[in-house]
Amino acid sequence: MNSVLIVKNLEKYYKNKGSLTKAVDHISFEVEKGEFIGIMGASGSGKTTLLNCISTIDAATAGHIYVNAQDVTQLADSKLAKFRREQLGFIFQDFNLLDTLNGRDNIALALAVIGEHPSLIDQKVEAVAADLGISEILNKYPYEISGGQKQRIACARAMVTNPSLILADEPTGALDSKSAAMLLDSFRIMNEEKGATILMVTHDAFTASHCSRILFIKDGQIFSELVRGRDSRKAFFDKILNVVALLGGDSHHVI
Ligand SMILES: Nc1ncnc2c1ncn2[C@@H]1O[C@H](COP(=O)(O)OP(=O)(O)OP(=O)(O)O)[C@@H](O)[C@H]1O
Ligand SMILES: [Mg+2]
């Protein structure tokens, strides 16, 4: 089996004062190694809930999630932190860097917590920083760098452990268009040159047009799927806009 991720009949329901929200309602899909998958859908459609179930931050109500053939819905609580540290990389909208550490140490920390040998940590951090073109900002603290630079440090932190799957929730959400374009170049390097498998939630059609495949979610279900294939990025972008128009909802988020 070459699938890094298999999601099978996933359901996540929230009960609130007698009412039931089906945030994820029977979702199934597979992700092959090296794919760059986008997840799109209106606000409240269940994108973050889906990501949180895959990352084991939230427990599924029913269904199964296999990461490298291991069913993570069956993992004991005591094994979850180790699973996340070793198998997953995370990139959030608001960066989640530690303010008291410089860029180098923010990245190094990801290696330290999985028990990487200290003599290898420095060279691995240097290598990933060179790949992403951030070597010259490694000694700066988060308050000394721009949002776009912070997000590229976060990318380095996510990929330095060579995880099976990188999960990103609105990574360009807090960036201006120039920083977003630079970040997307970092994603391209992670994906095409380093073979990282990426699952990225985004509202933004331009950001999504860099993916190899997009799943559109509506009311907790998969509404549609687009594969880029041989399309140019612009042709793919136009197709995405068409599906987004069909989906309706928050089109103001899209461009
Ligand atoms: N902890 C929670 N308790 C109750 N309901 C929740 C909880 N988390 C999410 N929901 C509900 O589940 C649905 C899906 O929410 P989710 O955050 O997954 O949407 P989303 O697609 O990520 O939206 P956005 O684009 O605004 O981030 C919404 O109706 C939301 O109100
Ligand atoms: Mg969300």
Side-chain angles (χ1 to χ4, degrees):
M1 180 164 50
N2 213 11
S3 295
V4 170
L5 172 69
I6 300 175
V7 175
K8 238 184 190 166
N9 276 325
L10 186 68
E11 297 171 59
K12 177 66 190 182
Y13 299 166
Y14 292 111
K15 282 193 196 110
N16 259 334
K17 296 178 199 146
S19 78
L20 188 72
T21 305
K22 293 184 173 183
V24 173
D25 188 12
H26 287 95
I27 283 189
S28 297
F29 64 97
E30 296 192 12
V31 177
E32 301 286 310
K33 185 167 171 33
E35 281 198 283
F36 181 9
I37 306 281
I39 310 249
M40 295 190 83
S43 182
S45 59
K47 305 178 299 294
T48 295
T49 306
L50 173 63
L51 227 60
N52 287 347
C53 288
I54 294 169
S55 65
T56 70
I57 288 166
D58 217 341
T61 307
H64 296 276
I65 299 164
Y66 301 90
V67 174
N68 283 330
Q70 179 181 37
D71 188 350
V72 302
T73 63
Q74 306 297 313
L75 275 179
D77 284 356
S78 58
K79 301 224 164 113
L80 293 180
K82 184 171 154 57
F83 161 75
R84 284 183 214 130
R85 287 195 302 253
E86 293 182 354
Q87 303 269 344
L88 304 178
F90 293 95
I91 300 166
F92 302 95
Q93 177 171 353
D94 55 1
F95 323 124
N96 272 28
L97 297 178
L98 293 177
D99 292 333
T100 51
L101 299 181
N102 66 17
R104 180 188 310 280
D105 291 341
N106 263 287
I107 302 166
L109 188 60
L111 289 169
V113 295
I114 61 166
E116 181 61 271
H117 198 279
S119 66
L120 292 178
I121 289 182
D122 249 6
Q123 74 192 59
K124 287 198 170 185
V125 173
E126 294 288 347
V128 77
D131 287 338
L132 297 184
I134 50 170
S135 304
E136 63 293 348
I137 54 168
L138 281 183
N139 291 331
K140 298 198 172 188
Y141 286 81
Y143 72 88
E144 297 176 298
I145 57 180
S146 71
Q149 289 171 326
K150 276 188 242 191
Q151 200 58 308
R152 283 152 71 211
I153 296 274
C155 283
R157 179 187 56 187
M159 73 184 266
V160 73
T161 55
N162 199 16
S164 303
L165 186 62
I166 293 178
L167 300 171
D169 197 350
E170 299 279 2
T172 58
L175 304 182
D176 60 60
S177 56
K178 188 166 166 242
S179 305
M182 287 180 79
L183 181 74
L184 287 162
D185 196 48
S186 298
F187 273 62
R188 185 192 59 74
I189 293 166
M190 292 195 290
N191 175 242
E192 289 179 12
E193 296 180 17
K194 302 295 161 188
T197 309
I198 306 172
L199 195 65
M200 173 180 74
V201 167
T202 183
H203 272 111
D204 181 67
F206 174 76
T207 299
S209 69
H210 292 74
C211 297
S212 52
R213 179 158 63 107
I214 299 175
L215 303 174
F216 295 87
I217 311 277
K218 185 174 187 179
D219 301 331
Q221 301 184 329
I222 294 184
F223 168 82
S224 173
E225 183 188 59
L226 270 185
V227 177
R228 175 156 167 192
R230 290 161 180 266
D231 281 352
S232 68
R233 201 202 51 72
K234 176 70 174 78
F236 195 41
F237 174 76
D238 290 340
K239 284 185 183 171
I240 294 167
L241 286 185
N242 284 336
V243 180
V244 169
L246 275 177
L247 266 171
D250 55 350
S251 52
H252 62 281
H253 273 304
V254 169
I255 347 182

